[in-house]
């Protein structure tokens, strides 16, 4: 391993774009299928991995929604979340802000409370066991209706102390942020932080809608913003963070060659980019592998890596004291 790779591995990192259902490894998928008597259309772990060939977002989403069908009980959601934390603890993640997709479960008859209680119990235990602090962000599935998103928001209100923010994910094309203008306005009134996937597959106009109409606090992906010079300038001026997911982009979003990944241009344009894993069980790597993919392909320097790590801390939804504590861990490592 190179010095730089060792540096990245041991670097205290934060993760801001991680779908907990996307951390379901095939081994756990089989274990839960057995536990819950769910039939899987695969015979082996190898067969599952072989099915993970995607040419676009929708190919992935189809198999991702199918995979989450094994998650049934609160303990399943606990085990899923604990497995993720255990893994990223080994990669020196010190803080994570975890997405979940309630509608992917409630639409299968799993109660909202089963999902949120399993996830937050594991996160609370993980804070003790692994020293990883965390927040939870609930995403609306944008291919479903505005009405369904409103129902989901209503279901979340009793769990406001466990859910810090709301986001928007799933099939981007044809489902612009404006479709959820009223839901996000309501979520803002309720005090939730706001994020949205935009510019992953969708055009720069979707990013502009996420800013102007949804009034997001942080932008998930945002890659295609670079096609619009005025938008790029605006993202620089407002210093909104972008949660970039290199291996996801390689698997889904038309980055055919990591050396052409837009991260370099983002950094050169003064955008506040961060590195994240998105759906690590499906895209071939957790946060360290995502850092390493761009470090190698884009020939990033140690200073670039430190900038990315600092951007991550600055972009968390932590309060000032928590951010100072996270920065201290990073500074201690750098000394
Ligand atoms: N994009 C959109 N929706 C998602 C993703 C993604 O990368 N992962 C899980 N849901
Ligand atoms: Zn995502």
């Amino acid at each position: 391993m190179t010095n730089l790779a060792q540096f990245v591995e041991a670097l205290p990192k934060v993760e801001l774009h991680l779908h907990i259902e996307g951390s379901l490894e095939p081994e756990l998928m089989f274990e839960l299928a057995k536990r819950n008597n769910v039939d899987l259309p695969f015979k082996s772990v190898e067969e599952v991995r072989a099915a993970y060939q995607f040419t676009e977002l929708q190919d992935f989403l189809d198999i991702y929604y199918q995979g989450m069908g094994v998650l049934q009980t609160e303990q399943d959601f606990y085990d899923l979340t604990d497995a993720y934390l255990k893994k990223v603890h080994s990669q020196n993640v010190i803080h994570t802000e975890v997405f979940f997709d309630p509608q992917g479960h409630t639409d299968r008859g799993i109660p909202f409370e089963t999902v949120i209680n399993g996830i937050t119990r594991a996160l609370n235990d993980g804070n003790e066991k692994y020293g990883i602090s965390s927040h939870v962000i609930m995403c609306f599935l944008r291919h479903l209706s505005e009405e369904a998103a409103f129902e989901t928001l209503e279901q979340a209100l009793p769990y406001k102390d466990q859910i810090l923010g709301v986001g928007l994910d799933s099939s981007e094309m044809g489902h612009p942020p404006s479709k959820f203008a009223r839901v996000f306005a309501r979520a803002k009134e309720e005090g939730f932080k706001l994020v949205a996937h935009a510019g992953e597959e969708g055009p720069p106009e979707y990013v502009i809608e996420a800013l102007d109409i949804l009034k997001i606090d942080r932008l998930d992906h945002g890659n295609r913003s670079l096609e619009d010079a005025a938008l790029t300038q605006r993202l620089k001026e407002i210093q909104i963070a972008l949660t970039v997911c290199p291996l996801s982009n390689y698997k889904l979003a038309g980055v055919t060659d990591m050396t052409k990944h837009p991260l370099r241009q983002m950094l050169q344009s003064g955008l506040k980019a961060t590195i994240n894993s998105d759906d690590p069980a499906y895209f071939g790597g957790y946060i360290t592998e995502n850092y390493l993919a761009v470090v190698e392909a884009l020939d990033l320097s140690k200073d670039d890596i430190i900038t990315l790590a600092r951007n991550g801390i600055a972009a968390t939804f932590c309060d000032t004291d928590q951010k100072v504590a996270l920065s201290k861990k990073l500074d201690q490592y750098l000394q």
Side-chain angles (χ1 to χ4, degrees):
M1 205 188 308
T2 66
N3 279 342
L4 216 48
Q6 282 169 349
F7 175 74
V8 168
E9 255 197 9
L11 180 75
K13 293 175 282 291
V14 308
E15 174 140 78
L16 305 176
H17 186 153
L18 175 279
H19 302 265
I20 196 65
E21 298 91 343
S23 72
L24 177 62
E25 291 288 348
E27 288 80 4
L28 183 58
M29 192 190 290
F30 268 90
E31 193 182 318
L32 296 181
K34 197 169 157 200
R35 193 194 280 177
N36 295 323
N37 285 313
V38 175
D39 272 332
L40 286 177
F42 307 106
K43 284 197 203 64
S44 66
V45 163
E46 292 69 35
E47 226 177 81
V48 179
R49 287 223 160 81
Y52 292 176
Q53 309 274 350
F54 318 114
T55 54
E56 56 176 21
L57 176 58
Q58 194 60 49
D59 292 343
F60 156 71
L61 289 170
D62 292 343
I63 210 158
Y64 164 83
Y65 293 125
Q66 182 184 61
M68 67 175 79
V70 301
L71 298 160
Q72 310 241 331
T73 67
E74 185 182 314
Q75 190 61 39
D76 298 341
F77 288 93
Y78 182 96
D79 291 346
L80 172 72
T81 307
D82 182 63
Y84 162 71
L85 292 171
K86 189 173 177 197
K87 174 70 189 178
V88 297
H89 176 56
S90 78
Q91 299 197 336
N92 294 299
V93 166
I94 55 174
H95 175 82
T96 183
E97 302 194 351
V98 171
F99 293 141
F100 77 112
D101 284 334
Q103 291 158 293
H105 312 298
T106 52
D107 285 4
R108 303 183 282 115
I110 311 294
F112 189 96
E113 68 167 321
T114 299
V115 181
I116 189 63
N117 288 342
I119 293 171
T120 51
R121 187 158 58 83
L123 291 173
N124 290 338
D125 288 353
N127 199 357
E128 298 287 312
K129 268 198 290 189
Y130 310 115
I132 299 176
S133 57
S134 56
H135 294 308
V136 174
I137 298 170
M138 163 182 105
C139 289
F140 302 113
L141 299 184
R142 68 202 304 159
H143 68 277
L144 300 178
S145 68
E146 179 197 34
E147 188 189 359
F150 264 120
E151 281 168 20
T152 304
L153 182 59
E154 287 298 327
Q155 287 179 306
L157 293 181
Y159 302 96
K160 259 167 99 174
D161 58 332
Q162 298 173 60
I163 302 172
L164 188 72
V166 305
L168 190 62
D169 67 1
S170 193
S171 322
E172 188 178 7
M173 296 303 271
H175 302 286
S178 50
K179 178 176 168 185
F180 298 95
R182 293 185 293 189
V183 182
F184 271 63
R186 178 77 207 290
K188 194 178 173 74
E189 278 171 17
E190 293 289 345
F192 289 103
K193 294 283 186 189
L194 308 177
V195 300
H197 285 51
E200 178 186 20
E201 275 191 342
E205 290 71 31
Y206 283 22
V207 176
I208 295 169
E209 283 193 4
L211 295 171
D212 288 341
I213 300 175
L214 301 189
K215 305 199 185 303
I216 53 168
D217 299 299
R218 197 163 71 202
L219 172 59
D220 295 318
H221 294 296
N223 296 18
R224 288 194 60 195
S225 308
L226 296 174
E227 294 169 23
D228 180 331
L231 174 60
T232 304
Q233 179 61 26
R234 178 177 177 190
L235 295 175
K236 177 190 172 181
E237 279 166 14
I238 63 177
Q239 284 291 293
I240 191 171
L242 280 68
T243 61
V244 179
C245 306
L247 290 173
S248 169
N249 299 154
Y250 181 69
K251 296 277 183 182
L252 303 183
V255 176
T256 52
D257 176 347
M258 258 321 177
T259 64
K260 300 198 176 72
H261 193 280
L263 180 73
R264 172 165 292 292
Q265 199 193 330
M266 289 172 179
L267 291 175
Q268 281 169 349
S269 303
L271 305 192
K272 212 168 198 60
T274 66
I275 298 294
N276 309 273
S277 71
D278 211 0
D279 301 281
Y282 291 88
F283 301 148
Y286 287 77
I287 193 163
T288 294
E289 290 81 13
N290 275 274
Y291 266 88
L292 291 179
V294 284
V295 166
E296 283 157 23
L298 305 177
D299 197 23
L300 298 185
S301 67
K302 200 167 173 176
D303 281 347
D304 292 328
I305 297 167
I306 295 168
T307 297
L308 290 166
R310 287 205 195 284
N311 286 352
I313 293 173
T316 63
F317 289 140
C318 293
D319 64 26
T320 307
D321 286 353
Q322 288 174 302
K323 283 188 189 183
V324 167
L326 294 172
S327 293
K328 217 176 197 170
K329 288 186 183 171
L330 177 57
D331 289 336
Q332 271 165 2
Y333 172 71
L334 295 176
Q335 269 166 16

